[in-house]
Amino acid sequence: MEDIRATKRVRARARMPRAAFRAAAALGVAVAALIELTTPASAGGNLLWASAGSVGKRWTVCAHDLAVRSSPNGPAFGYLYGPDQSFTIYDPGNFEFGGEWVRGHAWGGVNADGYVQNGWFCLNNS
């Protein structure tokens, strides 16, 4: 009696070469990074980002609630509720196009100086 397993040939699935697989993975990572860099940082979509030209301007907050902090990424001591409350910009950050944190005066219920996260201002402020 003949062994059936020995006579049947099992087809192996074709595999992608390692170099091609690595190139495809690198391309996928690059595309994801490009998409991340070209989309607005805020979750609300197209909102205004404070830059060096916005010092002294009082802008309306478009976030549902925006934490006002005593230092960048520090503990929150109050909240601005958009679109009824505003923020006067003293310093938009260390970069020409603004930083992640904006220093200024929070109007409304807070009525104090502090830091808020950049990118949560209404477009109609410009």
Side-chain angles (χ1 to χ4, degrees):
M1 203 159 156
E2 194 175 306
D3 189 7
I4 297 175
R5 288 179 289 171
T7 58
K8 285 191 175 182
R9 195 166 190 196
V10 178
R11 282 188 153 177
R13 218 175 353 158
R15 296 184 120 192
M16 182 185 289
R18 281 186 198 224
F21 179 76
R22 287 183 180 154
L27 180 62
V29 169
V31 168
L34 182 63
I35 290 171
E36 179 70 24
L37 290 174
T38 58
T39 56
S42 58
N46 294 325
L47 298 174
L48 198 55
W49 186 271
S51 64
S54 32
V55 173
K57 295 184 179 178
R58 184 173 174 173
W59 283 354
T60 305
V61 172
C62 272
H64 177 52
D65 54 354
L66 182 61
V68 182
R69 303 170 188 275
S70 55
S71 63
N73 208 22
F77 64 84
Y79 289 89
L80 293 172
Y81 299 98
D84 299 327
Q85 297 183 349
S86 59
F87 189 82
T88 300
I89 299 162
Y90 297 160
D91 181 12
N94 298 332
F95 305 103
E96 179 182 357
F97 299 108
E100 183 181 352
W101 296 96
V102 179
R103 186 176 62 87
H105 187 80
W107 299 94
V110 178
N111 201 23
D113 287 351
Y115 290 83
V116 296
Q117 195 170 21
N118 202 351
W120 293 100
F121 303 108
C122 296
L123 278 175
N124 60 1
N125 287 309
S126 55

